[in-house]
Amino acid sequence: MKPAVLTGKHFINGDVACAEGAIAAGCKFFGGYPITPATEVAEHISERLPDVGGTFIQMEDEIAAMTSILGAAWTGAKTMTSTSGPGFSLMMETVGLAVVTETPCVVVNVQRAGPSTGLPTQGAQGDMMQAKWGSHGDYEIIAIAPSSPQEMFDFTIIAFNLSEKYRTPVFIMSDEIVGHMSEKVVIPKPSKIKTISRKKPKGPKNKFKLYKPDADGVAPMPAIGDGYKVHVTGLTHDEIGYPVMSIEAQEEMMTRLLGKIRNNIDDIIMTEQYLLDDADIVIVSYGVSSRTSYTAVDMAREKGVKAGLLRLITVWPFPDALIKELAQRVKGFITVEINLGQICREVQRCAGTDIPSYLAGHAGGAVVPPEDVLSIIKENF
Amino acid sequence: MKATAAKPLPHPMEDLIRMDRIPHIWCSGCGTGSVFMACLSAIKESGIPYNEFSMVSGIGCSGRGAGYINVDSFHTTHGRAIPFATGIKMAKPDLNVIVFSGDGDLFAIGGNHFIHAARRNMDITVICVNNLIYGMTGGQVAATTPHKAKSSTTAAGNPETPFNLPLLAYASGATFVARWTMLHSRDIADAVQMALNNKGFSFIEVLSPCPINYGRRNKEKALETLRLYHDNTIIKSNADLSELDIDFKRGVVLGNFINKEKPSHDEQYSKIYHAEAG
């Protein structure tokens, strides 16, 4: 029986690192369904969860996998599932339920090229807009993009922490390349790993309101059996959690749901900047594409072009203010991503039409070579 | 003359009902409330603390059950009550998890989840209020609608054949299988008690009228349906499950058909994984 935190240096792939990150974060339940290239997350965590008294189940499909982690989350457990594009599509129904019932959980999407069955064994970043808009109705979501096996470990812990803190599903938007890449992963001592658990309610049980928020906009969450006798519904509900079919209740609930993310973006949004201070051209990227983007910046600098990198660690919520601010002082943007222009649209939306904004991307199956970024610079700047 | 209004007697199930949510949404003549009450009496009579129960529903008329019971309760998405309940049960196996939902929810959109939970022998109790139709959406054909019966999407009669639910449950691996009608309150309560005591996947089908959306279209008045439940049913617990098709002309068979012992999923998982890990 192994401990929860396997302190030391390991040579493992991104999927395995993600599973180890989940265990280190305190994950106790995983409902999964096999899919390339995410299967190794489920395989590894199925072995590891019993070590920490946790439970694994392989469900009959991704709908069931995603739904099972919500049920388990209400027993007080930290829960996760993993998938890729086709399974992510099936999970979207339950993502909405997780958002509206404010159920913390983590969903790992090891992206492959789509649409439909696409290229199952080859990487892409084509599910970025689905992560934001895939379930019906308005909602805010948190999505994090790791670029290495080390970050698959580290960011999985961050994902659990954000999920617990804000009572919301959090997506880890990985991809086949990072998922299947093996690299050194350093796992710190347990005392060096910061974990957050959901707030539990205090005070008299008979006066408890399931969705009455604290000052941070997030309500404490009891577990089944704690004696709070909660009612949880996907219908529009009031602070008690009871269904209310009115425009006013919908407005009130949605304002708070969106607000709890929007009012805390400074705490949630994480970016990395490389040579951005004096940059004329801003390369925006995330996940595996940010790795090749560092090289692109260096290559451009060697040619005397002042390029800099804005790497999005959290892609959702999107850093609107930062892009708007950069647009005031740079000559243009190039978004590097393995799709045909998803986050590029967001950059254009924030930067406005007065400033040129280009995509260095393709339809999926491999990384975007830094030379593609250089060509865009050469042709346009 | 000064009238002295008698203080109304408290509802016998007041401690198990969210009284602040009453009146409920169920129509006059609907049987769901009777099934729900029978289920609550079984919970009450079990003597198990209420905090050790959880109820999960899907979507539909009977799916509102979770909204009225005063235990930790979950009104989930359409068809997904069973996988939600599975997550609860696996993460906290000591809980008694009851799924209270309808035939459309459990056997059309949720059919895959039903057969797999039964196959795994997941230790949950599934109560299906079977009104032979999609009630809440206005009377569309269901996976349980009798052949040739009329619905809003089969105006000239249902061309399909309905499921035999007890047979399906048994074939999928359920360790407790029963069928009653909503008239058989005592029998439903007894069946729920037996289901709670059965360490495995328990299934109780309860026939229940939908006079608004099934009865009206099929020339069957509310009381006539109840009369069929009374007169044209046969209690036969040792029945051949393959002969359980719903045909009131031939007689509909009721009973507690299966009640067997088989290790449940959480027992097996714990034995294989946690025992070794420990």
Side-chain angles (χ1 to χ4, degrees), chain A residues 331-351:
Chain A
K331 291 180 182 161
F333 291 89
I334 302 170
T335 304
V336 187
E337 55 183 343
I338 314 172
N339 61 50
L340 295 175
Q342 297 191 10
I343 297 306
C344 184
R345 276 173 78 107
E346 287 295 287
V347 173
Q348 286 170 340
R349 176 180 65 79
C350 297

Side-chain angles (χ1 to χ4, degrees), chain A residues 354-367:
Chain A
D354 294 342
I355 185 162
S357 187
Y358 300 93
L359 167 72
H362 59 69
V367 294

Side-chain angles (χ1 to χ4, degrees), chain A residues 78-161:
Chain A
K78 293 184 183 180
T79 68
M80 185 167 96
T81 188
S82 65
T83 191
S84 191
F88 202 50
S89 294
L90 287 180
M91 288 178 181
M92 281 304 141
E93 167 191 82
T94 315
V95 166
L97 183 67
V99 167
V100 87
T101 57
E102 302 184 57
T103 307
C105 59
V106 174
V107 179
V108 189
N109 180 355
V110 187
Q111 295 171 89
R112 62 194 224 186
S116 191
T117 314
L119 300 175
T121 61
Q122 287 161 267
Q125 297 175 303
D127 307 345
M128 300 311 297
M129 278 295 174
Q130 187 183 22
K132 177 67 188 79
W133 302 107
S135 199
H136 54 279
D138 286 305
Y139 59 94
E140 288 288 354
I141 203 82
I142 301 175
I144 310 179
S147 68
S148 66
Q150 181 68 55
E151 288 183 353
M152 285 290 263
F153 180 86
D154 297 338
F155 290 9
T156 300
I157 295 168
I158 293 173
F160 271 99
N161 289 348

Side-chain angles (χ1 to χ4, degrees), chain A residues 5-26:
Chain A
V5 180
L6 301 181
T7 304
K9 290 172 188 167
H10 305 265
F11 186 71
I12 49 178
N13 74 25
D15 283 355
V16 171
C18 172
E20 285 299 335
I23 298 287

Side-chain angles (χ1 to χ4, degrees), chain A residues 1 29 46 49-51 53-61 63-65 67-75 77 93-94 97 101 223-235 240 242-243 245, chain B residues 15 18 20-21 50-54 64 66-68 70-78 80 83-92 95 109 112-114 116-117 119-120 122 265 269 273-274 277-278:
Chain A
M1 185 176 156
F29 180 85
S46 75
L49 274 168
D51 288 341
T55 315
F56 170 90
I57 188 168
Q58 184 173 311
M59 295 298 282
E60 53 274 13
D61 56 31
I63 300 169
T67 310
S68 74
I69 71 169
L70 300 200
W74 279 94
T75 69
E93 167 191 82
T94 315
L97 183 67
T101 57
I224 299 173
D226 283 354
Y228 289 92
K229 297 180 179 176
V230 297
H231 179 59
V232 177
T233 178
L235 287 166
I240 299 172
Y242 287 175
M245 300 297 99
Chain B
D15 53 343
R18 295 180 192 271
D20 50 351
R21 293 219 56 227
Y50 296 161
N51 281 350
E52 293 171 26
F53 283 96
S54 185
R64 292 301 186 97
Y68 301 126
N70 198 17
V71 302
D72 291 314
S73 57
F74 299 87
H75 179 223
T76 64
T77 42
H78 198 16
R80 317 302 172 207
F84 198 99
T86 295
I88 295 175
K89 185 67 190 179
M90 290 210 59
K92 208 166 180 180
L95 288 169
I109 189 165
N112 197 30
H113 309 309
F114 180 89
H116 284 278
R119 174 184 62 78
R120 294 182 180 110
M122 193 56 64
H265 182 279
Y269 186 86
Y273 288 92
H274 289 148

Side-chain angles (χ1 to χ4, degrees), chain A residues 149-207:
Chain A
Q150 181 68 55
E151 288 183 353
M152 285 290 263
F153 180 86
D154 297 338
F155 290 9
T156 300
I157 295 168
I158 293 173
F160 271 99
N161 289 348
L162 287 169
S163 167
E164 293 285 319
K165 188 171 181 182
Y166 292 106
R167 271 187 73 176
T168 186
V170 174
F171 295 146
I172 299 172
M173 299 301 287
S174 182
D175 63 85
E176 186 277 334
I177 302 155
V178 171
H180 283 165
M181 164 197 299
S182 287
E183 282 186 337
K184 185 169 91 171
V185 174
V186 180
I187 299 182
K189 286 180 187 163
S191 59
K192 299 283 178 196
I193 295 174
K194 189 194 165 211
T195 60
I196 296 174
S197 295
R198 67 197 70 164
K199 292 183 289 188
K200 297 281 263 182
K202 300 180 190 100
K205 290 192 166 84
N206 56 352
K207 287 188 178 155

